[in-house]
């Protein structure tokens, strides 16, 4: 199988490329390196079946590429990154998605859009099912991400309706693991870096907001199943771990696992920060036969072990 992974040099994309290589696929990894890095590909760059192309998918890919499957993960994902690169985020999820859908159409290739739980905004329905339409501020600081992903979803389903493209959408809930950039601003790298450096752990707001954290290997297994399972054309799947924690509980767990004596301090809650988030994964369980397997503690230990100069103390 010849597979194109857009955003393959990023955190999730690089793990996905490794899994696809393990399965024997031939990969074209396309990435502008806006928030990703070639370091993430160091296990892959020597592989015969792996090819890296530095390219911004806002521009169409030139040449006569023959492709069976396209995984579209190209987009900044951390709130700090998409605020800094707001216009790039809007463009990659709109024009970038359009070019990749066109490429899929030309090749009659299967297509997967990596969308996000952010499509639900600050959700009024809890946990979130795929049928929930969301509560998104269209002009708030997160809208460059939320709204452009919603646009990407809309364009993807339109290619299914109009051109019968074999495309599906996954809505990824907070996922973490080795290779997240230490300074990408998301809560896991922030707390781990702070715990490691003996700095205070910065909890935003009072820490009562909730998130549900999934380990990257579980997510990658779900992504691959979403493309390779029958009856997923035109469907949307939540992929994430339904175990929900407050951010304050999460800070305490990281302090505990790293043995850090860092204090916990409270900083202002960013505007429009969702108060709660937890996926309903009934549909993924039923149709994909998928559910996360790695517990939060185990996932954090694996992530901590991958960091330089930090040890798990409480096992
Ligand atoms: P990441 O920032 O590590 O990876 C994104 C990759 O896309 C980077 O390598 C970046 O250089 C590349 N990219 C960005 N714009 C591009 C462009 N115009 N052309 C080519 N490449 C471009 O983030 P991630 O956490 O690995 O997220 C991957 C995907 O999963 C994103 O689409 C994101 O929206 C989605 N997602 C992630 C999470 C999560 O918790 N990690 C949650 C929801 C959705
Ligand atoms: N957060 C925090 N301290 C940090 C970074 C994030 O308390 O140093 C909070 C943030 O306000 C949000 C949650 O942790 O409520 C998850 O944030 P992240 O940026 O990882 O992802 P989000 O789910 O908001 O996209």
């Amino acid at each position: 199988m010849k597979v194109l992974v857009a955003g393959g040099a990023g955190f999730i994309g690089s793990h996905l490329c490794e899994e696809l290589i393990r399965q024997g696929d031939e990969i074209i990894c396309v990435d502008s390196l806006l928030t990703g890095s070639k370091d993430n590909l160091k296990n892959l760059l020597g592989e015969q079946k792996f090819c890296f192309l530095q390219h911004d998918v806002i521009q169409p890919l030139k040449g006569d590429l023959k492709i069976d499957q396209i995984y579209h993960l190209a987009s900044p994902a951390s709130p700090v990154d998409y605020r800094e690169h707001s216009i790039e985020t809007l463009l990659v999820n709109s024009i970038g998605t359009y070019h990749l859908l066109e490429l899929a159409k030309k090749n009659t290739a299967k297509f997967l859009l990596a969308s996000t739980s952010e499509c639900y905004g600050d959700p009024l329905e809890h946990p979130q099912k795929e049928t929930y339409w969301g509560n998104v501020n269209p002009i708030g600081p997160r809208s460059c991400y939320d709204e452009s992903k919603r646009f990407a979803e809309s364009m993807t389903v339109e290619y299914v309706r109009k051109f019968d493209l074999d495309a599906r959408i996954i809505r990824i809930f907070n996922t973490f693991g080795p290779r997240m950039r230490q300074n990408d601003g998301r809560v896991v790298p922030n707390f781990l870096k702070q715990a490691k450096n003996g700095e205070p752990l910065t909890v935003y707001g009072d820490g009562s907001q909730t998130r549900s954290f999934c380990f990257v290997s579980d997510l990658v297994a779900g992504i691959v199943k979403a493309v390779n399972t029958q009856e997923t054309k035109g469907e949307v799947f939540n992929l994430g771990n339904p175990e929900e924690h407050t951010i304050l509980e999460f800070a305490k767990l990281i302090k505990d696992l790293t043995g850090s004596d860092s204090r916990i301090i409270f900083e202002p809650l960013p505007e429009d920060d969702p108060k709660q988030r937890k996926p309903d994964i009934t549909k993924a369980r039923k149709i994909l036969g998928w559910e996360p397997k790695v517990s939060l503690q185990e996932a954090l230990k694996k992530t901590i072990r991958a960091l330089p100069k930090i040890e798990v103390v409480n096992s």
Side-chain angles (χ1 to χ4, degrees):
M1 198 81 75
K2 198 149 187 178
V3 180
L4 187 148
V5 180
F11 156 57
I12 297 173
S14 60
H15 287 278
L16 174 64
C17 287
E18 285 180 6
E19 179 56 28
L20 295 173
I21 283 283
R22 258 194 295 277
Q23 295 185 11
D25 291 329
E26 203 175 317
I27 316 280
I28 304 173
C29 167
V30 179
D31 200 298
S32 63
L33 302 182
L34 180 68
T35 55
S37 158
K38 270 179 119 173
D39 279 354
N40 291 337
L41 304 174
K42 59 175 182 267
N43 298 337
L44 290 163
L45 287 169
E47 292 278 343
Q48 224 186 344
K49 288 187 164 181
F50 184 81
C51 157
F52 175 70
L53 214 60
Q54 185 168 353
H55 174 82
D56 188 329
V57 298
I58 292 166
Q59 304 299 331
L61 277 154
K62 295 208 177 81
D64 197 18
L65 293 173
K66 293 274 176 287
I67 290 154
D68 302 305
Q69 297 185 342
I70 296 179
Y71 293 78
H72 175 18
L73 285 83
S75 167
S78 119
V80 170
D81 285 345
Y82 63 69
R83 282 308 314 136
E84 188 180 344
H85 304 293
S86 54
I87 304 299
E88 291 88 341
T89 303
L90 287 158
L91 292 177
V92 72
N93 286 314
S94 53
I95 299 173
T97 302
Y98 166 67
H99 288 314
L100 292 170
L101 283 165
E102 277 293 302
L103 186 63
K105 177 160 105 40
K106 194 170 134 202
N107 282 273
T108 328
K110 284 190 172 186
F111 184 90
L112 173 134
L113 172 70
S115 185
T116 168
S117 54
E118 282 284 320
C119 286
Y120 302 122
D122 191 2
L124 305 176
E125 178 179 305
H126 192 72
Q128 294 78 51
K129 288 195 192 76
E130 290 86 350
T131 46
Y132 178 49
W133 290 357
N135 177 38
V136 173
N137 176 354
I139 53 166
R142 298 172 88 102
S143 85
C144 62
Y145 185 63
D146 303 7
E147 294 289 22
S148 66
K149 286 286 189 183
R150 287 166 69 101
F151 178 91
E153 290 199 6
S154 174
M155 183 161 295
T156 301
V157 293
E158 223 37 63
Y159 269 69
V160 178
R161 286 194 191 106
K162 273 215 150 121
F163 307 115
D164 200 30
L165 190 77
D166 191 350
R168 70 278 297 127
I169 296 165
I170 53 160
R171 294 192 183 132
I172 303 174
F173 284 66
N174 298 65
T175 296
F176 73 98
R179 297 198 199 128
M180 289 183 96
R181 260 187 16 257
Q182 274 208 29
N183 62 348
D184 91 355
R186 285 182 272 193
V187 68
V188 177
N190 266 14
F191 284 177
L192 288 178
K193 181 181 63 187
Q194 290 160 346
K196 176 179 140 187
N197 295 339
E199 295 161 2
L201 269 60
T202 52
V203 167
Y204 301 159
D206 61 6
S208 63
Q209 71 273 33
T210 67
R211 292 294 185 275
S212 310
F213 294 98
C214 184
F215 190 57
V216 66
S217 62
D218 278 334
L219 176 74
V220 164
I223 294 178
V224 173
K225 283 196 166 191
V227 170
N228 295 298
T229 304
Q230 298 287 320
E231 294 170 27
T232 57
K233 179 172 159 184
E235 295 293 336
V236 182
F237 296 95
N238 286 337
L239 292 184
N241 192 320
E243 191 185 310
E244 184 184 13
H245 291 273
T246 68
I247 292 301
L248 186 56
E249 278 166 15
F250 193 63
K252 288 178 180 161
L253 179 61
I254 288 194
K255 258 173 66 75
D256 190 34
L257 284 177
T258 55
S260 163
D261 50 19
S262 290
R263 289 179 305 130
I264 291 177
I265 60 168
F266 295 90
E267 293 194 347
L269 190 66
E271 196 182 335
D272 290 346
D273 197 283
K275 285 182 269 314
Q276 52 183 0
R277 188 182 287 156
K278 167 180 165 148
D280 181 318
I281 59 164
T282 309
K283 186 172 173 185
R285 277 199 178 105
K286 197 168 151 206
I287 298 180
L288 307 180
W290 172 87
E291 63 182 359
K293 294 190 164 58
V294 186
S295 71
L296 179 61
Q297 296 233 354
E298 198 45 48
L300 278 169
K301 286 179 198 168
K302 284 176 190 274
T303 309
I304 293 166
R305 284 192 196 106
L307 289 170
K309 294 193 203 131
I310 189 161
E311 281 170 17
V312 175
V313 293
N314 291 326
S315 5

